[in-house]
Amino acid sequence: MVPFEPSALPELLPVFYRRLFPHGAYGRWLGYGGVVKNYFQLREFSFTLRDDVYVRFQSFDNPQELERELQKTNPYKIDIGAVYSHRPSQHSTVHLGAFQPQEKELVFDIDMTDYDDVRTCCSSAEICSKCWTLMTIAVRVIDRALVEDLGVRHRLWVYSGRRGVHCWVCDDAVRRWSPALRAAAVEYLTLVKGGAETVKKVNISEPIHPFIRRSVAVVEKFFEAYALVGQDILGSPESWEKVLALVPEDIRGTLQGEFPRKKDSVQRWELLKGQMERTRRVSGKSGPCYADWEVMLQYCFPRLDINVSKGLGHLLKSPFSVHPKTGRISVPLDLQKLDQFDPFAVPTITSLCHELDTAGDEAEQEDGRETEPKRRARDYKRTSLAPYVRVFEQFVEEMERSRRGERLRRSDLQGDF
Ligand SMILES: [Zn+2]
């Protein structure tokens, strides 16, 4: 694969916005069916230009105007903001205080750096295929809760391009949620609490909320392969002491004595788990203990940034934006194939442009001539960006289907009278 060089961006970005960016589906997404006439015009876009020049409060009459602007300015990065009371591009002409964010998708930002206290393979901006499992778990846990517990329908999960994932919840009702409602949703979805100074960050007591039970069931599927084998969290006295610090003292002593006699993390975990299950089967003096669940959740449960989700005005990197450091495209995730998703296999702007060159040459040889306008619209289909655009189109089509269904239901209701 051709390596990505940030210095090549001025040359690559015009090709990207002209031949690869899925302008059509993108405009359909943010237009939301044109139900609210000026919805698209009131949306804030922010562009990061060359030399970190950051331009906020961009807005456009329609998706075609946005497309032309992207092809003219070729931003290094695109962020999406809220839908405002007035056109963001005219925000300085309305009087102070009148310009307010009104609606936005409910967004979640899950970043691998927030797991540095529980992963041993990498730290800060680094990721590897081992710790990427944490993102898989995060998507599974949050997505299940969004659908089954909060009743939302239209979620778009996106790889951030470097070390995390974003979620865009796009249901009509959710886009109108107040900051207080958004904060309440994040609190509901938060189990790991406390900063660097807090040793025990998950505390479970009876009665156990179904959200905890179901989240543990998700984590359990990954725990052995990820935490016990991959991270080897009970592999050495130093690492198992970190785990035993989360276990009640009376049981900790027994396990400290038994652990050195066990072969590996898997066997030590069996022992710990067995001890906890005993406290829940036999009514003893100290009552049922869920330290095994607490360890699983502290090591694997998603960490959400409440500030990103709460504020309507908070910007988030757009799907299909380029990550300026890695060159990778922030591509939508196919939840059907989530477990096989490999962040290192995501195309970079360099690899896509290279594919385009190769595909273009082959096509010319086949046809003997080029049909320029037709080619342009379908260019991404000749590259490894195609399956990700397909996932995005399916998401947009599903929203369109449910809008049509909703319209039919309403006209049927009116027909009854
Ligand atoms: Zn790692």
Side-chain angles (χ1 to χ4, degrees):
M1 200 187 257
V2 192
F4 166 73
E5 282 292 338
S7 60
L9 279 171
E11 207 179 302
L12 300 173
L13 285 164
V15 181
F16 178 71
Y17 288 115
R18 198 164 44 86
R19 300 176 62 184
L20 294 163
F21 192 89
H23 295 285
Y26 193 79
R28 274 156 64 204
W29 168 37
L30 293 173
Y32 286 103
V35 179
V36 178
K37 276 284 165 281
N38 54 358
Y39 206 77
F40 187 86
Q41 300 171 0
L42 298 173
R43 170 78 70 167
E44 177 189 1
F45 295 89
S46 286
F47 296 158
T48 306
L49 307 176
R50 205 176 173 161
D51 302 321
D52 285 328
V53 175
Y54 193 53
V55 206
R56 278 202 69 175
F57 299 120
Q58 305 288 295
S59 63
F60 305 94
D61 279 348
N62 49 51
Q64 294 72 33
E65 201 200 349
L66 169 66
E67 177 175 352
R68 280 194 298 275
E69 187 61 24
L70 289 173
Q71 291 170 351
K72 200 177 95 197
T73 52
N74 299 304
Y76 280 46
K77 179 162 156 271
I78 308 168
D79 287 290
I80 300 178
V83 173
Y84 280 82
S85 53
H86 303 75
R87 290 186 191 207
S89 59
Q90 298 168 1
H91 75 284
S92 51
T93 66
V94 297
H95 77 83
L96 204 67
F99 180 71
Q100 293 292 338
Q102 312 246 292
E103 289 195 14
K104 204 182 78 177
E105 294 76 10
L106 169 65
V107 295
F108 298 102
D109 180 8
I110 307 169
D111 192 318
M112 197 74 94
T113 49
D114 295 326
Y115 291 84
D116 278 358
D117 58 328
V118 290
R119 55 179 185 147
T120 50
C121 51
C122 312
S123 62
S124 64
E126 302 164 331
I127 59 161
C128 70
S129 56
K130 277 186 188 175
C131 52
W132 186 258
T133 307
L134 288 167
M135 291 297 133
T136 308
I137 296 172
V139 176
R140 291 277 181 236
V141 166
I142 301 297
D143 197 66
R144 188 214 61 77
L146 286 172
V147 174
E148 293 176 21
D149 303 355
L150 302 181
V152 315
R153 185 157 173 195
H154 304 292
R155 307 93 55 210
L156 179 67
W157 285 94
V158 180
Y159 169 51
S160 74
R162 194 178 193 186
R163 60 187 181 205
V165 293
H166 299 154
C167 178
W168 299 76
V169 182
C170 302
D171 297 42
D172 290 344
V174 177
R175 298 204 311 279
R176 291 193 285 267
W177 279 10
S178 67
L181 259 177
R182 289 163 201 257
V186 174
E187 266 169 52
Y188 177 81
L189 298 169
T190 299
L191 288 179
V192 182
K193 291 167 186 169
E197 69 292 341
T198 315
V199 175
K200 194 158 185 276
K201 295 177 179 163
V202 180
N203 291 284
I204 301 176
S205 57
E206 290 185 333
I208 294 171
H209 193 282
F211 172 68
I212 296 178
R213 238 175 241 290
R214 291 176 191 146
S215 298
V216 169
V218 175
V219 172
E220 239 167 7
K221 290 189 199 124
F222 299 91
F223 192 72
E224 180 171 333
Y226 163 71
L228 301 178
V229 179
Q231 303 286 331
D232 205 12
I233 65 167
L234 299 174
S236 69
E238 301 83 69
S239 55
W240 76 54
E241 281 307 327
K242 268 180 79 185
V243 174
L244 289 177
L246 311 174
V247 172
E249 263 177 68
D250 51 329
I251 300 171
R252 190 184 304 155
T254 319
L255 294 174
Q256 275 164 333
E258 290 289 328
F259 271 9
R261 282 197 273 277
K262 295 289 176 186
K263 190 176 76 173
D264 55 19
S265 282
V266 176
Q267 286 200 356
R268 289 180 193 117
W269 181 255
E270 283 307 314
L271 187 70
L272 186 156
K273 199 173 132 187
Q275 293 275 335
M276 294 306 137
E277 282 169 350
R278 243 178 73 83
T279 71
R280 304 199 282 264
R281 248 190 348 259
V282 191
S283 48
K285 51 185 188 315
S286 47
C289 174
Y290 289 88
D292 50 341
W293 291 19
E294 291 166 342
V295 170
M296 280 199 279
L297 295 173
Q298 179 152 340
Y299 276 77
C300 301
F301 190 84
R303 284 120 161 101
L304 302 175
D305 183 341
I306 190 163
N307 294 314
V308 175
S309 303
K310 187 183 172 185
L312 281 171
H314 210 288
L315 295 150
L316 190 65
K317 185 158 171 280
S318 168
F320 295 102
S321 180
V322 179
H323 195 292
K325 295 250 163 44
T326 63
R328 290 193 200 286
I329 315 300
S330 28
V331 290
L333 301 174
D334 183 353
L335 294 205
Q336 311 288 326
K337 298 179 189 154
L338 182 66
D339 295 3
Q340 291 102 60
F341 178 82
D342 173 8
F344 299 103
V346 170
T348 65
I349 186 169
T350 315
S351 69
L352 289 174
C353 291
H354 186 73
E355 285 178 47
L356 218 47
D357 286 346
T358 318
D361 294 347
E362 281 165 14
E364 274 166 54
Q365 279 164 9
E366 275 169 30
D367 314 332
R369 66 194 162 96
E370 287 180 58
T371 45
E372 191 58 35
K374 204 172 166 189
R375 238 190 68 166
R376 227 173 246 176
R378 292 159 191 267
D379 264 352
Y380 71 81
K381 290 193 175 170
R382 300 160 177 247
T383 70
S384 48
L385 194 61
Y388 302 103
V389 176
R390 192 66 211 122
V391 173
F392 185 55
E393 285 170 345
Q394 278 162 354
F395 159 77
V396 175
E397 283 159 15
E398 175 56 30
M399 273 204 304
E400 289 170 343
R401 248 196 311 280
S402 78
R403 261 197 302 271
R404 271 199 304 277
E406 183 62 25
R407 263 205 309 277
L408 278 174
R409 226 179 355 263
R410 282 196 192 155
S411 63
D412 278 357
L413 280 175
Q414 283 167 355
D416 288 342
F417 294 100

